[in-house]
Amino acid sequence: MLSVIAVFSVCFPSLCFLFPQAALKKTPLFDFHRQQGGKMVEFSGWSLPVQYKDSHISSHMHTREHCSIFDVSHMLQTKVHGRDRVKFMESLVVADIAELKDNQFKAAGFDVDLEFLDEALIALQGPSMSQVLQKGLKDDLRKLTFMTSTLATVFGVPNCRVTRCGYTGEDGVEISVPKGRVVELTEKLLTNGEVKLAGLGARDSLRLEAGLCLYGNDIDETTTPVDASLVWTIGKRRRQTKDFPGANIIVPQIKAKADRKRVGLVSSGPPVRQHTPILSPDGTVIGEVTSGCPSPCLKKNVAMGYVDAAFAKNGTNIQVEVRKKAVPAIVSKMPFVQTNYYSG
């Protein structure tokens, strides 16, 4: 029956001003967030918690050391099914969909249907996620590896799609839940002392420490996988068939190399934010920061951005312009903090 389940995260922070406060969309957990002390903010047309009673740093570190729940119900969930589902998906992405195994989008055929799901989505992220969630599952969670999914009853809530993935760099899952029972499931998870609620603030600093891109900031429709150091996402077969969107530009770029490249940056002093100019040692503008924040784990400023290819090598000394002053920085390997995805 259903053979492809895709979760599309389309976040356009720069477009938030288009949505007046009265028109903000609410997730099924909106009232629960407010009851729990969530500070609600406008994000991409949604009202979402930026943090709770704990500080941003405390919430960030709790996720790294224990586990946290994030409401990600603003992300569009879709089911793609029908005999032409593989062909349809491969018309949208550069990955080799046909080679994926069951519960990783494997399918074949000649017709397709797209269904938008009206369900809630929560992410449980952190090193103790497995021990917390296993208590509410019949199946052995060790069988569920990174980027695979399964249908399950979770703490008595049936028809949940559990996918081992996330946006923090930690071991975690995203759980698609019938929206009428998401509060119930969230409350049950919170009865475990390992679990706390976390908001957008911690989600952003966690994903940046993990070197993960935010669409609209670090990648967009003008960015190629080569520019963004994401060539690994292009399936080997797709490189040969050259039948994916933008292949006429991207495939030649793989061999010729791009003129610019997404890199990690580490600096001390004042925080480095989006749109900060990146400078060569002699003060020439060579790029721009796309995301940046102080790292709670490293106690340094971390950022990512695009620079001229000549300055993209790890260890290169460059500068960033903060408050009209040049601050020393170093091009650094990402992720900044080691990731802990579960591979079995």
Side-chain angles (χ1 to χ4, degrees), residues 285-306:
V285 176
I286 57 171
E288 183 179 80
V289 170
T290 54
S291 290
C293 72
S295 165
C297 289
L298 301 180
K299 305 297 189 292
K300 297 178 181 178
N301 300 315
V302 296
M304 68 172 71
Y306 289 82

Side-chain angles (χ1 to χ4, degrees), residues 132-266:
V132 170
L133 189 61
Q134 186 61 72
K135 295 178 180 179
L137 294 175
K138 290 184 178 179
D139 293 334
D140 188 349
L141 194 56
R142 291 176 296 183
K143 297 177 181 178
L144 191 70
T145 55
F146 183 60
M147 294 307 294
T148 61
S149 70
T150 187
L151 283 171
T153 295
V154 184
F155 286 101
V157 179
N159 301 316
C160 293
R161 168 67 65 172
V162 181
T163 305
R164 202 149 196 169
C165 65
Y167 200 42
T168 63
E170 297 295 335
D171 185 19
V173 293
E174 291 184 351
I175 309 173
S176 181
V177 193
K179 65 180 183 179
R181 302 194 68 175
V182 66
V183 172
E184 173 191 344
L185 178 56
T186 302
E187 289 178 334
K188 287 180 177 178
L189 289 168
L190 286 169
T191 60
N192 191 309
E194 285 287 306
V195 185
K196 288 188 176 182
L197 294 167
L200 293 173
R203 181 170 163 82
D204 192 53
S205 55
L206 288 160
R207 70 93 187 169
L208 185 49
E209 284 187 343
L212 300 175
C213 294
L214 174 63
Y215 188 84
N217 280 39
D218 310 301
I219 52 175
D220 59 27
E221 291 181 344
T222 69
T223 312
T224 73
V226 182
D227 294 333
S229 300
L230 296 172
V231 176
W232 59 269
T233 63
I234 307 173
K236 182 177 180 181
R237 176 178 61 84
R238 307 301 303 278
R239 299 186 197 192
Q240 296 171 343
T241 57
K242 302 178 184 179
D243 59 352
F244 57 84
N248 61 320
I249 296 174
I250 296 170
V251 173
Q253 235 185 16
I254 295 173
K255 293 183 178 180
K257 309 299 181 184
D259 294 330
R260 62 173 189 154
K261 187 176 181 181
R262 180 175 66 95
V263 297
L265 303 172
V266 173

Side-chain angles (χ1 to χ4, degrees), residues 64-113:
R64 287 275 182 252
E65 296 166 358
H66 304 280
C67 66
S68 299
I69 297 175
F70 298 83
D71 181 7
V72 289
S73 300
H74 62 291
M75 298 199 298
L76 177 62
Q77 300 180 71
T78 56
K79 289 183 180 179
V80 182
H81 49 101
R83 288 178 298 178
D84 204 26
R85 51 201 178 269
V86 167
K87 184 177 180 180
F88 172 74
M89 290 300 296
E90 289 195 343
S91 74
L92 302 177
V93 301
V94 299
D96 190 344
I97 303 299
E99 290 301 312
L100 296 176
K101 299 177 181 178
D102 290 338
N103 283 318
Q104 287 183 298
F105 298 175
K106 182 179 180 181
F110 297 99
D111 73 87
V112 66
D113 187 33

